[in-house]
Amino acid sequence: MSLAVIVLAAGLGTRMKSETPKVLHPLLGKPIINHVLDAVTPLNPAKTIVVVNPQGETVRTALAGRNITFAVQKKMKGTGDAVRAAARFLRTYSGTVLIVNGDTPLLAAESLRRFVKLHAVRRESVSLLSFLADPPHEYGRILRKDGQVVGIVENRDATAEQLPIREVNSGVYAMKSEALALLKRIRINVSKGEYYLTDIVSIAVRQGLKVGAHLIGSAGEYAGINTREDLCAAGLSLRRSIASGWMLNGVTIMDRDSVFIDPAAQIGRDTIIYPGVHIEGKTVVGDHCVIYPNCRISNCTIGNAVTIKDSTVMEDAVISDHASVGPFAHIRPATLIGEKAKIGNFVEIKKSHIGTGSKASHLSYIGDAEVGAGVNIGAGTITCNYDGLNKHATVIEDGVFIGSDTQLVAPVTVGKGAYVGAGSTITKDVPPLALGLSRTSQINIEGWVPRHAPRNRRKKGR
Ligand code: UD1
Ligand code: CA
């Protein structure tokens, strides 16, 4: 049986109070609508139609590269009208049509699959996926008579008797393509001035067609995002389930509500994650690592037994086994930190290779540098890699000792085993095993203070 999917995403999302279309608000690293599409893609639909509004350019751009037909709903006249806009692309289509709201990002592919199967097995013209919500919030209430579904009433239109009904509409429907013809029978709802897709249920019932409502999956899957409060709740539920998965796999997570772990990330056993840690993109973290509070790690590869101390930011970098980074370090793209290396507080590293066991423990900027093994970089050392026009490389060979507060004006090389005296501005290469020094020699002027320093200082000095 072939399957066509319609995703409704033309709504204005007014309740979000946002300039961004609702379905593009990010949730766990990707837009809401991408979550919905990722749930329907495993069902291998022959056609996927996304209904957008005339300002939906940003939605199209966000979904570029996916095999999607965009249907434009000219005026926001409700969900029934939105499906009609999509149905124009299905005139010659025969098979099952699965309709989902673009604002229900927690949909699970498995539940959709079961639902579509049940729809086919039961030979229903119109099937809808319902769930039990307590309280029923603003979801449409499922009306049943003698157990058989007869209609859906929206929260705003429900009578005092209907309001307490806990079986509600998920916004997921499966229909035979022929049932799309019923769309034109939907009458405008006077209270809201919209054509409700939900009315298709009572219309089909009245036509004597077979209709069913199925309670499949868990209520959490069908949460619709209408407000920022809903977005926050959906994010929390996703983060919790991802964190639970990693805990089952042997990762310690101290506060699962405060950590963010991208679904694409990997974390090794016996790694400990403190509160407030964000692990983004395709980051891979090895075994036995400790990631202290408030670190953000994006698209990085981290070896085993690595320590990342508090409030460190790392992007597109590789950290080798037993290295230690932070607190308050900034590791920028194309950086490779070698085994057992130590990067300390307030150190920024960009596009550099730090060799095995090398250390930059305090207050440094290292950019476009090739640092060998066993190097010690003193506090406050800066690679001056930019001349205002181009970036230049600094090479620091194995075993070098760079004294504190050194400026290395690139391009420059400090040869193997050399020393650089503290406070130097190094503009020329330092040969291996040499001492590079470029500071003026110190002079002491005896008795200067009583002669020249201001009166108040003179007293204190004594
Ligand atoms: C809808 C259902 C409700 C159900 C709930 C599930 C209707 C009338 N009500 O309510 O029974 O419990 O979903 O989450 O269908 N959209 C368009 N064009 C429009 C209006 C909406 O494409 O003119 C899209 C929206 O972008 C959204 C979806 O349809 O993705 C649902 O619209 P929304 O306004 O959020 O409906 P709900 O009030 O949540
Ligand atoms: Ca909604």
Side-chain angles (χ1 to χ4, degrees), residues 69-150:
T69 304
F70 289 95
V72 178
Q73 185 189 10
K74 294 206 183 74
K75 285 197 182 123
M76 299 314 101
K77 292 190 288 186
T79 45
D81 181 66
V83 176
R84 280 189 83 167
R88 275 183 239 128
F89 293 89
L90 295 173
R91 280 190 191 127
T92 58
Y93 170 82
S94 169
T96 303
V97 181
L98 176 71
I99 301 171
V100 296
N101 283 352
D103 67 353
T104 47
L106 307 184
L107 291 177
E110 194 41 44
S111 303
L112 294 178
R113 207 194 305 271
R114 279 172 54 204
F115 173 60
V116 169
K117 201 166 169 195
L118 204 57
H119 162 76
V121 170
R122 297 274 174 93
R123 297 174 183 277
E124 289 164 353
S125 285
V126 176
S127 310
L128 71 104
L129 209 166
S130 62
F131 67 103
L132 294 175
D134 197 5
H137 299 286
E138 294 191 0
Y139 295 108
R141 312 294 201 273
I142 307 295
L143 307 178
R144 290 184 183 264
K145 203 173 165 195
D146 305 326
Q148 171 60 40
V149 57
V150 291

Side-chain angles (χ1 to χ4, degrees), residues 15 22 79 101-104 139 170 223-227 230:
R15 288 167 278 183
K22 173 166 81 178
T79 45
N101 283 352
D103 67 353
T104 47
Y139 295 108
S170 68
I225 310 292
N226 295 326
T227 63
D230 296 336

Side-chain angles (χ1 to χ4, degrees), residues 68-376:
I68 284 170
T69 304
F70 289 95
V72 178
Q73 185 189 10
K74 294 206 183 74
K75 285 197 182 123
M76 299 314 101
K77 292 190 288 186
T79 45
D81 181 66
V83 176
R84 280 189 83 167
R88 275 183 239 128
F89 293 89
L90 295 173
R91 280 190 191 127
T92 58
Y93 170 82
S94 169
T96 303
V97 181
L98 176 71
I99 301 171
V100 296
N101 283 352
D103 67 353
T104 47
L106 307 184
L107 291 177
E110 194 41 44
S111 303
L112 294 178
R113 207 194 305 271
R114 279 172 54 204
F115 173 60
V116 169
K117 201 166 169 195
L118 204 57
H119 162 76
V121 170
R122 297 274 174 93
R123 297 174 183 277
E124 289 164 353
S125 285
V126 176
S127 310
L128 71 104
L129 209 166
S130 62
F131 67 103
L132 294 175
D134 197 5
H137 299 286
E138 294 191 0
Y139 295 108
R141 312 294 201 273
I142 307 295
L143 307 178
R144 290 184 183 264
K145 203 173 165 195
D146 305 326
Q148 171 60 40
V149 57
V150 291
I152 302 173
V153 62
E154 287 304 290
N155 180 64
R156 57 185 295 143
D157 306 321
T159 63
E161 269 165 23
Q162 293 164 334
L163 278 174
I165 296 174
R166 291 191 304 121
E167 188 188 2
V168 296
N169 173 23
S170 68
V172 178
Y173 315 78
M175 332 189 161
K176 288 185 180 163
S177 46
E178 303 87 75
L180 292 173
L182 302 176
L183 289 167
K184 59 178 184 295
R185 294 175 182 268
I186 297 177
R187 294 285 157 257
I188 199 157
N189 174 290
V190 280
S191 84
K192 202 168 180 207
E194 284 190 358
Y195 296 87
Y196 286 175
L197 175 59
T198 46
D199 287 350
I200 204 165
V201 173
S202 55
I203 293 169
V205 170
R206 266 183 268 129
Q207 299 269 312
L209 298 170
K210 197 166 182 211
V211 177
H214 307 289
L215 284 155
I216 291 178
S218 62
E221 295 174 28
Y222 307 110
I225 310 292
N226 295 326
T227 63
R228 307 232 187 198
E229 194 79 44
D230 296 336
L231 184 64
C232 178
L236 185 60
S237 117
L238 279 174
R239 293 203 313 277
R240 278 185 180 160
S241 75
I242 289 175
S244 296
W246 287 115
M247 289 192 272
L248 282 173
N249 274 324
V251 176
T252 293
I253 294 176
M254 294 200 180
D255 173 12
R256 68 170 164 186
D257 287 2
S258 76
V259 302
F260 174 106
I261 302 169
D262 193 289
Q266 299 281 329
I267 307 172
R269 278 195 179 191
D270 288 321
T271 281
I272 300 175
I273 297 178
Y274 277 73
V277 169
H278 280 228
I279 298 177
E280 302 176 349
K282 294 197 170 119
T283 294
V284 178
V285 180
D287 298 342
H288 298 284
C289 293
V290 183
I291 307 178
Y292 284 99
N294 303 324
C295 293
R296 187 165 70 83
I297 303 166
S298 188
N299 291 306
C300 290
T301 302
I302 293 167
N304 298 323
V306 170
T307 304
I308 302 168
K309 293 184 187 160
D310 316 46
S311 301
T312 289
V313 177
M314 310 206 290
E315 294 159 296
D316 301 288
V318 177
I319 316 292
S320 309
D321 298 353
H322 300 281
S324 165
V325 181
F328 304 102
H330 188 185
I331 310 298
R332 293 173 50 201
T335 292
L336 193 163
I337 308 288
E339 280 184 33
K340 296 187 179 128
K342 181 174 179 279
I343 305 303
N345 40 204
F346 308 109
V347 174
E348 174 181 349
I349 303 189
K350 184 216 88 173
K351 204 177 171 187
S352 294
H353 178 188
I354 309 294
T356 304
S358 291
K359 291 178 182 168
S361 300
H362 337 264
L363 302 152
S364 283
Y365 171 62
I366 300 167
D368 302 293
E370 190 64 40
V371 178
V375 169
N376 188 75

Side-chain angles (χ1 to χ4, degrees), residues 406-462:
T406 294
Q407 299 100 56
L408 297 153
V409 183
V412 73
T413 296
V414 182
K416 209 168 171 174
Y419 271 54
V420 171
S424 294
T425 301
I426 299 297
T427 54
K428 289 183 290 203
D429 290 354
V430 180
L433 300 177
L435 169 68
L437 194 62
S438 79
R439 55 180 193 232
T440 49
S441 43
Q442 180 173 337
I443 51 164
N444 291 333
I445 302 173
E446 296 289 341
W448 185 91
V449 176
R451 278 183 276 125
H452 293 281
R455 209 164 259 288
N456 59 345
R457 291 276 300 127
R458 260 185 257 170
K459 276 201 202 108
K460 273 187 208 152
R462 263 188 264 116

